[in-house]
Amino acid sequence: MTFKDNFLWGASTSAYQVEGAWEEDGKEASVQDIRPPFEGTTDFKIASDHYYHYKEDVALFKELGLKAYRFSIAWTRIMPHGKVNPKGIQFYNDLIDELIANDIEPIPTVFHFDLPASLHEKGGWLNRETIDAFTEYCQVLFDNFGDRVTYWQTINEQNMLVFASRVLEGNKTSWKDTFQGNHHMLVAQARAMKLYHEGNYPGKIGPAPNISCVYPKTERPEDMLAAEYFSAFRNWLFLDAAVFGTYNHMAWRILEKLDAVPEITAEDRQVMKENTADFIAFNYYNSSTVSASDGKESAAKDQQDSFAIPGFFKGEKNEHLQTTTFANWPIDPVGLRNTAHQIYSRYRLPLIITENGLGQRDELTADGKIHDDYRIDYLRSHIEQMQQAIEEGVELFGYCPWSAIDLISTHEGFRKRYGFVYVDRSDFDLKELKRYKKDSFYWYNKVIRTGGQDLK
């Protein structure tokens, strides 16, 4: 058996993409609630209405066979405007207890792209005071839920948040401000890990970045160096900080060239160095390919693109890989295996995959079916490579694909679906929000029941 009996077969969501109830029971608006939706897409006010359907959804997760559910906690629901909200705490207490009652391991993420609007108005992560607000928020989480949670994730895809924010703002934010805000997030993460470890809570804590192996476009030594630089900037800057408590030297060189070196206090350095991760969660959707810079680089279009830094690298299309319908992301199952090996070889910490999936325009048939063979094919090919990585020595203890249930894609709205469970609504018609099991639901249930042995 490649997969151990206690392997955490799971699935993932995030609060702002699935919960809805955006201003109910004392919740504050987040940055996701106040930003205008992308053209042709819905807002996040109702989403999948999980806030009011969580018991029904958890029952479906139980039927699916999930051993773990990776979700995020809405900062704005727990501490609106910096004040503890008992109703927010009650909701997540109820959700966690419901999961445990159904033998599903709760795996919460502390922060998943939904900064409170009140903090955003004060400068967001560029304001050093946000570190203190985050630390206070984490203490409330650990004190209220720490007795029942084994695996805590600090910040979801900090690297994508950093790079995508610049792209979405039309590169108006300077690199200097971008990486000062990023540094504050790294310090906040270290402070949260310090709280957790000093509190002697019974579980483990770690980061959840989006990691992608990086290929050189050709065998030219210059392209190989470009791939090393891009990997340092995209991946290792964030994981070196979380695991080693230091900045990656190649990424630091890029920051110097961009005039983006952050202001770092002696206290920052100490708290980062002394408080590091117990495990690594990582999200994987695609690999990246780059070549050496030629001065003709173009800007990235979304958070997964291999963008360009003049003098270091530029993104390239990998001709050996097919791409997804949405956004043309490369589909690279072997890349998942490569990525897992690179992370484990570098850090030697236990790993869990917390996002991996295929977004498509699923169709509900007249008889209530959703035939998503394309999703099954995608997940099967990635699980096969994950299995081989484990056989080759990677300490991988869980797999939580994106997503457990249909939710709102940040850029493409509700038409881009990832879930094992179909939610009957469109971007501009809520219908009855009825849940339907997709073909992939039954397939994944079989995968879990057989411990990953039957992938047909």
Side-chain angles (χ1 to χ4, degrees):
M1 296 286 287
T2 301
F3 298 103
K4 295 180 179 179
D5 291 341
N6 62 351
F7 187 83
L8 293 177
W9 294 100
S12 296
T13 65
S14 85
Y16 79 91
Q17 292 173 278
V18 75
E19 284 182 4
W22 76 289
E23 60 176 357
E24 297 178 41
D25 291 337
K27 180 183 176 294
E28 179 191 350
S30 76
V31 291
Q32 300 295 347
D33 296 319
I34 63 174
R35 72 165 175 79
F38 289 91
E39 184 178 356
T41 69
T42 187
D43 55 38
F44 298 97
K45 293 179 179 178
I46 304 295
S48 303
D49 207 31
H50 177 68
Y51 189 76
Y52 290 111
H53 288 78
Y54 79 89
K55 286 192 176 183
E56 175 187 356
D57 293 341
V58 171
L60 283 166
F61 301 162
K62 173 70 171 179
E63 185 179 348
L64 177 56
L66 296 189
K67 307 299 183 186
Y69 175 49
R70 184 255 189 169
F71 60 98
S72 75
I73 296 174
W75 188 343
T76 50
R77 210 178 285 286
I78 295 293
M79 294 193 70
H81 304 284
K83 304 297 183 182
V84 176
N85 177 22
K87 290 185 178 180
I89 290 173
Q90 187 63 53
F91 172 71
Y92 291 108
N93 265 325
D94 292 344
L95 174 60
I96 289 169
D97 287 345
E98 190 73 13
L99 290 166
I100 292 171
N102 285 277
D103 299 316
I104 300 171
E105 181 88 32
I107 303 181
T109 305
V110 170
F111 175 62
H112 192 128
F113 299 166
D114 50 357
L115 189 73
S118 57
L119 293 177
H120 173 70
E121 291 166 2
K122 296 176 182 178
W125 286 108
L126 188 56
N127 184 345
R128 181 171 277 271
E129 291 179 3
T130 302
I131 299 173
D132 295 329
F134 182 80
T135 306
E136 184 180 359
Y137 162 57
C138 288
Q139 186 70 70
V140 172
L141 296 187
F142 300 155
D143 286 347
N144 282 277
F145 315 127
D147 60 324
R148 287 156 291 160
V149 171
T150 303
Y151 299 103
W152 286 96
Q153 295 171 29
T154 51
I155 300 175
N156 176 76
E157 293 192 346
Q158 180 174 336
N159 49 347
M160 297 298 98
L161 179 60
V162 168
F163 297 130
S165 294
R166 241 185 133 256
V167 171
L168 294 176
E169 294 171 3
N171 296 329
K172 295 177 182 177
T173 304
S174 70
W175 280 117
K176 181 78 170 178
D177 285 350
T178 295
F179 280 96
Q180 188 64 55
N182 175 70
H183 175 69
H184 292 161
M185 273 191 277
L186 294 176
V187 174
Q189 174 174 258
R191 291 257 305 264
M193 291 191 289
K194 176 181 174 67
L195 277 180
Y196 192 76
H197 291 142
E198 290 183 350
N200 293 315
Y201 299 97
K204 301 179 184 299
I205 189 167
N210 179 305
I211 303 299
S212 162
C213 65
V214 182
Y215 304 130
K217 178 68 174 178
T218 73
E219 66 273 18
R220 292 172 57 223
E222 293 82 0
D223 286 355
M224 183 64 191
L225 184 61
E228 291 292 322
Y229 265 113
F230 183 62
S231 191
F233 197 53
R234 187 200 188 283
N235 299 325
W236 311 141
L237 185 161
F238 303 90
L239 278 178
D240 280 13
V243 179
F244 300 145
T246 58
Y247 274 83
N248 177 275
H249 71 285
M250 294 184 78
W252 189 263
R253 178 61 173 164
I254 296 175
L255 295 183
E256 289 178 330
K257 289 293 186 179
L258 294 175
D259 189 26
V261 172
E263 295 180 8
I264 304 175
T265 68
E267 184 182 359
D268 292 345
R269 295 184 190 279
Q270 182 176 358
V271 75
M272 288 176 62
K273 190 69 177 176
E274 293 179 354
N275 301 280
T276 55
D278 303 318
F279 72 100
I280 295 171
F282 73 99
N283 303 343
Y284 174 86
Y285 289 96
N286 56 269
S287 58
S288 300
T289 302
V290 299
S291 65
S293 168
D294 62 4
K296 300 177 182 178
E297 296 83 2
S298 59
K301 295 180 181 179
D302 76 18
Q303 78 273 20
Q304 298 288 355
D305 277 347
S306 302
F307 54 90
I309 300 293
F312 292 97
F313 52 77
K314 66 173 181 176
E316 297 281 2
K317 178 179 175 60
N318 191 322
E319 304 294 343
H320 301 284
L321 301 174
Q322 295 181 327
T323 57
T324 60
T325 301
F326 285 95
N328 292 316
W329 295 350
I331 300 174
D332 185 7
V334 178
L336 173 58
R337 184 171 156 201
N338 286 330
T339 300
H341 276 301
Q342 289 179 2
I343 299 171
Y344 191 65
S345 294
R346 189 178 184 91
Y347 302 108
R348 278 299 195 273
L349 286 178
L351 308 180
I352 180 171
I353 297 167
T354 43
E355 288 185 30
N356 171 239
L358 180 67
Q360 283 280 23
R361 295 178 184 267
D362 297 339
E363 297 294 333
L364 178 66
T365 64
D367 58 351
K369 308 293 184 184
I370 303 93
H371 303 302
D372 57 342
D373 289 348
Y374 39 83
R375 181 166 295 109
I376 293 171
D377 291 342
Y378 178 99
L379 293 172
R380 177 192 295 117
S381 62
H382 285 76
I383 292 173
E384 286 173 345
Q385 294 298 320
M386 179 175 68
Q387 182 178 31
Q388 291 191 58
I390 294 172
E391 289 175 353
E392 293 162 349
V394 175
E395 187 180 355
L396 187 62
F397 66 89
Y399 177 67
C400 297
W402 189 264
S403 56
I405 186 170
D406 283 346
L407 40 68
I408 300 178
S409 173
T410 304
H411 300 141
E412 287 91 9
F414 227 94
R415 65 180 180 268
K416 183 181 183 182
R417 297 173 180 268
Y418 281 92
F420 294 109
V421 175
Y422 184 94
V423 178
D424 190 19
R425 63 156 291 183
S426 65
D427 276 286
F428 303 107
D429 184 357
L430 290 175
K431 303 181 182 179
E432 295 181 0
L433 294 163
K434 186 175 179 181
R435 275 66 166 146
Y436 294 87
K437 301 166 212 172
K438 303 180 187 180
D439 287 356
S440 60
F441 181 102
Y442 299 102
W443 172 82
Y444 194 46
N445 172 260
K446 179 181 63 176
V447 171
I448 296 172
R449 282 189 288 106
T450 62
Q453 298 308 298
D454 188 350
L455 299 177
K456 295 178 182 178

